[in-house]
Amino acid sequence: MQGVEAMYEAGMMEVIPLKDPTSPLQGSLEPGIRPELLDRCAEYQVRLNQVLDTFEEIPASMVRALGLFFTPPDANPFPVRVESIEDCFRQIDTLLTETEGTLRDKSALITIREKVQSLERRESDVNLLLPFQLDLALLGDFTTFSVSAVMVKKEETGMFLQQVTAAGAEEIFIDKKTAKDGEVVLIAYPAHLRPSIHPSFRLSGVSVLHCEECEGTPDKALATIRDRIRELREHERERINSLEMFRDTYERKLLAIREELRIRKEELDLIPKSGSSRDVTYLSGWIPAREVNSFTAAMDRSTCGHFFSTRPEKVESPQEAPVMYDNPRWLRPFEFLTTMFARPKYGEIDPTPFMAPIFVIFFGLMLGDAGYGILLTLSGFLLYWRFRRSSSVFHDLSIILTWCGISAVIFGTLQGGWFGDVPSRFFGISPPLVLLEPIKDPIAMFQIALLLGILHINLGLTLGFYQNIRKKEYNPALMDQGVWFIIQPSAAILMAVFFGWITAGTNVLYVAVAGIVAGLAIIFYSRGPMGFFALTGFLGDWLSYVRILALALATGGIAMTVNILAELVAEVSPYLVVLAVLVFLGGQLFNLIIQSLGGMIHSIRLQYIEFFSKFFIGGGEAFTPFRMERMYSVRGDA
């Protein structure tokens, strides 16, 4: 097991189970025998989960929620000292014995809450009978007569009374009182009419009022029920206090030992995936090329030199290899966005290094407000500080949010956005460093959006062209990407001459026309009539970048509208200044949330649809090494 533990701690190898069709060991070795200890591990996991689940019965508290936010459980991992799997079992048995009271508390809480719910339903029913002031002990079926109370919706009252009286009007006493949602009807009738009247209680809009075990008038019964509810609530609080004591004393220990048990179980799980002969255990798997030497050295040390490894010079099916991103640290959070679309296939270009900076720039241009950017940056820092160790997803999202906030600060400053026009409207100050205000000069922003769009699209085409050339797929390189490098400059020359932006000689015009004709010929030759949609699709992709202008205008326009409304409210009366401040804060917060979501969604859409479609397919399998991961525990000195 020393070799297994070393491999687990190194976390460099993704094991290929012996039964997997891709395993090079399949057919030549017998798989390892599944250890019986795995069943015991599973049993102990269930029992630990049962105890930890009892803590979910404790109502959430604001104080605890704030405490968990500022001091998450994983921030203080609990030291675990376990020498063997049997030692782990013994420690768990001790903890389960000490915490068996939690299961009794949970069972008691469930019983108490069921009783409270039943009493609250009875309280609601008795409350409807207050206008009658009858002895509730009279309700029910007796030897010679019955008394029933029902709640009937207003629109169903006529039908219900008609059906009841039809059973024998002369022998039935009916009284009714108006309630909030209908009519409360009291019916007294002889025992022999029960078969005729009881079916009426099952009509739509009719519900029987239950007052079992209630005595005296409704007001006295209500007092009794409420006293009983208060008594049960006190018992509930006692049980919750007991659970809270167990949680404060044992939760960290239980989480830590459960994590240690999971680690030991994963080590045992490796045995059935391995192959074995009389004296040797064999494993096959994937290791990143740069980690091979480190992995070999670690295994050699742990087995005192009794370790041998080999690898084929050429992999027959490299497309079956798992994929691990290989980006610098600052780029790794953006791998989350790439994976949301698809993980790159083995040997395919990873779009993350290209997508990340462009995504951040597009977001900053779309939000275009430095004030909002500062708030987003601070939010990103706060989330990073809170979740940097407890959640990889929130860790990545917090860094992405921080970069997006910084981008919004930069481009918001250049676009003059500070919560809309707050500096100029309320303080008479012109923001510094303003280069372009989208609201005042939308045409310039429109041109910038189109320029960025054509550059972004051509970057995707270039990557696709390079990828096809590298694979020696020359026909797709020409038909899918190369043709646009012919059409675009030719169309640009003809358009510039047509609008009088440039003058060009006859030879240049001839070359441009020839380029257009050649490009169209290639498109329609390769795609047939569908080539027309390739042209319109390219144009549609390009025009899609106008959303950069649209969102920039929306952010500034709505923020400015909020400022105008706040100003108008404040001018009505000095007493409305507080209301004006609330209008300003609420409106700006709403705009921040809506425009930030819009910026995120539309920025990522430009990556996924307009950019990725030019070169990226995806569909790779994630590299999942056999790795020890701890969150709640830390290994103590064994």
Side-chain angles (χ1 to χ4, degrees):
M1 291 293 290
Q2 289 182 342
V4 172
E5 291 180 5
M7 184 174 14
Y8 196 22
E9 292 180 1
M12 301 177 190
M13 180 177 182
E14 177 180 332
V15 176
I16 302 176
L18 185 66
K19 296 180 180 179
D20 193 297
T22 62
S23 173
L25 301 177
Q26 190 186 44
S28 58
L29 293 169
E30 289 294 324
I33 299 174
R34 184 179 185 276
E36 294 181 359
L37 287 174
L38 282 173
D39 294 330
R40 291 185 65 189
C41 289
E43 177 189 346
Y44 277 108
Q45 280 182 325
V46 170
R47 295 174 64 188
L48 286 170
N49 288 338
Q50 286 176 337
V51 175
L52 286 167
D53 288 345
T54 62
F55 300 145
E56 295 179 3
E57 300 296 324
I58 303 173
S61 123
M62 181 62 70
V63 174
R64 177 172 170 80
L66 290 174
L68 288 175
F69 183 86
F70 290 106
T71 310
D74 62 292
N76 299 301
F78 192 83
V80 176
R81 181 177 177 178
V82 175
E83 298 178 357
S84 65
I85 186 68
E86 293 291 346
D87 185 26
C88 186
F89 292 155
R90 285 192 292 271
Q91 292 189 34
I92 293 173
D93 282 328
T94 301
L95 282 173
L96 290 175
T97 301
E98 293 173 358
T99 58
E100 61 183 0
T102 60
L103 299 177
R104 292 193 298 269
D105 287 334
K106 179 179 179 179
S107 177
L109 273 175
I110 293 173
T111 302
I112 289 170
R113 287 168 179 170
E114 288 175 349
K115 290 180 179 179
V116 168
Q117 288 177 358
S118 176
L119 286 170
E120 286 176 341
R121 288 193 297 267
R122 193 175 303 169
E123 178 187 19
S124 176
D125 288 351
V126 172
N127 194 56
L128 292 171
L129 294 171
L130 281 173
F132 294 97
Q133 287 302 309
L134 78 160
D135 188 344
L136 297 180
L138 295 174
L139 291 177
D141 294 328
F142 302 95
T143 305
T144 59
F145 71 96
S146 294
V147 181
S148 300
V150 295
M151 177 70 182
V152 187
K153 290 183 178 180
K154 290 181 180 180
E155 60 272 18
E156 304 293 339
T157 303
M159 177 71 70
F160 172 74
L161 294 176
Q162 181 180 355
Q163 187 163 335
V164 169
T165 54
E170 295 180 356
E171 299 180 89
I172 300 174
F173 170 79
I174 298 176
D175 190 11
K176 62 186 179 72
K177 304 290 184 181
T178 301
K180 179 180 178 181
D181 298 321
E183 299 281 351
V184 179
V185 183
L186 191 67
I187 311 168
Y189 47 95
H192 70 273
L193 291 182
R194 288 172 191 163
S196 302
I197 292 178
H198 283 186
S200 304
F201 299 160
R202 295 192 287 272
L203 292 174
S204 174
V206 178
S207 56
V208 178
L209 302 181
H210 296 283
C211 304
E212 296 86 354
E213 302 178 9
C214 293
E215 296 180 353
T217 58
D219 51 350
K220 293 182 180 179
L222 280 176
T224 303
I225 291 171
R226 288 165 181 167
D227 288 342
R228 179 57 179 156
I229 290 175
R230 280 193 293 270
E231 182 183 342
L232 289 171
R233 290 296 187 193
E234 290 176 3
H235 291 319
E236 180 185 30
R237 185 67 257 172
E238 291 172 1
R239 295 294 182 174
I240 290 174
N241 289 339
S242 175
L243 280 178
E244 286 177 339
M245 292 178 59
F246 277 115
R247 181 186 64 190
D248 295 341
T249 306
Y250 291 101
E251 185 177 37
R252 289 179 61 211
K253 298 178 185 178
L254 290 166
L255 289 171
I257 199 67
R258 184 179 67 174
E259 188 168 76
E260 182 68 28
L261 178 65
R262 173 186 59 78
I263 290 170
R264 300 282 177 164
K265 181 175 180 292
E266 288 177 353
E267 290 178 352
L268 292 172
D269 274 331
L270 188 66
I271 296 175
K273 298 178 182 179
S274 65
S276 60
S277 59
R278 191 182 62 152
D279 300 314
V280 182
T281 297
Y282 300 86
L283 280 169
S284 62
W286 300 99
I287 302 175
R290 65 172 182 269
E291 304 286 359
V292 170
N293 292 335
S294 299
F295 176 79
T296 303
M299 295 299 295
D300 200 53
R301 286 193 304 270
S302 66
T303 60
C304 300
H306 297 87
F307 170 77
F308 171 78
S309 66
T310 183
R311 52 178 171 165
E313 296 182 2
K314 183 179 180 181
V315 179
E316 295 183 2
S317 303
Q319 68 275 8
E320 295 177 353
V323 176
M324 182 179 71
Y325 290 106
D326 186 17
N327 291 309
R329 185 173 180 179
W330 68 272
L331 262 181
R332 290 172 191 166
F334 292 91
E335 295 169 355
F336 170 78
L337 297 179
T338 301
T339 305
M340 278 179 58
F341 181 84
R343 188 177 295 271
K345 286 185 177 180
Y346 188 81
E348 188 178 23
I349 291 176
D350 176 10
T352 308
F354 307 97
M355 180 268 295
I358 297 171
F359 169 80
V360 170
I361 290 171
F362 283 178
F363 178 88
L365 286 168
M366 289 178 180
L367 190 61
D369 191 289
Y372 293 164
I374 291 172
L375 294 179
L376 290 179
T377 303
L378 294 175
S379 299
F381 276 125
L382 179 62
L383 290 174
Y384 175 77
W385 174 79
R386 168 59 179 84
F387 294 107
R388 65 189 183 278
R389 287 179 293 183
S390 61
S391 170
S392 60
V393 173
F394 275 101
H395 169 273
D396 293 345
L397 288 177
S398 65
I399 294 178
I400 293 172
L401 183 62
T402 302
W403 278 111
C404 287
I406 293 171
S407 176
V409 171
I410 296 172
F411 288 104
T413 301
L414 299 178
Q415 294 171 218
W418 293 88
F419 300 105
D421 59 347
V422 164
S424 59
R425 180 172 297 277
F426 295 109
F427 303 102
I429 301 172
S430 297
L433 305 176
V434 179
L435 296 181
L436 171 64
E437 295 184 65
I439 291 180
K440 293 182 179 179
D441 194 357
I443 299 301
M445 192 68 180
F446 175 79
Q447 293 170 342
I448 290 173
L450 289 182
L451 177 61
L452 290 173
I454 202 67
L455 292 174
H456 195 216
I457 289 172
N458 276 280
L459 174 60
L461 291 172
T462 302
L463 293 174
F465 184 79
Y466 166 76
Q467 190 162 250
N468 284 327
I469 293 296
R470 188 179 64 178
K471 295 177 182 177
K472 298 182 180 180
E473 296 178 355
Y474 302 114
N475 189 58
L478 174 62
M479 301 295 184
D480 295 339
Q481 291 93 29
V483 65
W484 298 109
F485 297 138
I486 300 172
I487 291 177
Q488 287 181 90
S490 302
I493 292 172
L494 294 177
M495 186 181 298
V497 171
F498 178 80
F499 286 105
W501 298 334
I502 64 171
T503 57
T506 304
N507 291 336
V508 174
L509 292 176
Y510 284 155
V511 171
V513 171
I516 293 290
V517 172
L520 292 176
I522 293 173
I523 288 176
F524 284 101
Y525 172 77
S526 62
R527 308 187 187 193
M530 298 301 292
F532 173 78
F533 295 103
L535 296 171
T536 57
F538 185 92
L539 182 61
D541 287 348
W542 186 24
L543 292 177
S544 183
Y545 288 83
V546 177
R547 69 186 66 239
I548 295 174
L549 165 65
L551 268 75
L553 291 175
T555 303
I558 296 175
M560 186 182 299
T561 302
V562 170
N563 296 337
I564 293 172
L565 289 174
E567 188 178 34
L568 291 174
V569 172
E571 289 176 351
V572 172
S573 170
Y575 299 105
L576 295 179
V577 171
V578 174
L579 178 60
V581 172
L582 293 177
V583 169
F584 174 81
L585 294 177
Q588 295 291 353
L589 178 61
F590 171 80
N591 195 34
L592 168 63
I593 295 172
I594 294 300
Q595 301 305 331
S596 297
L597 288 174
M600 288 283 183
I601 292 169
H602 288 284
S603 297
I604 200 64
R605 182 203 181 280
L606 290 175
Q607 312 301 320
Y608 288 170
I609 307 300
E610 279 71 30
F611 183 53
F612 283 9
S613 63
K614 304 300 181 291
F615 70 98
F616 184 58
I617 298 174
E621 294 293 330
F623 175 68
T624 52
F626 182 60
R627 175 182 295 162
M628 182 182 298
E629 295 181 352
R630 292 183 181 272
M631 178 180 292
Y632 303 106
S633 65
V634 62
R635 178 70 66 86
D637 295 330

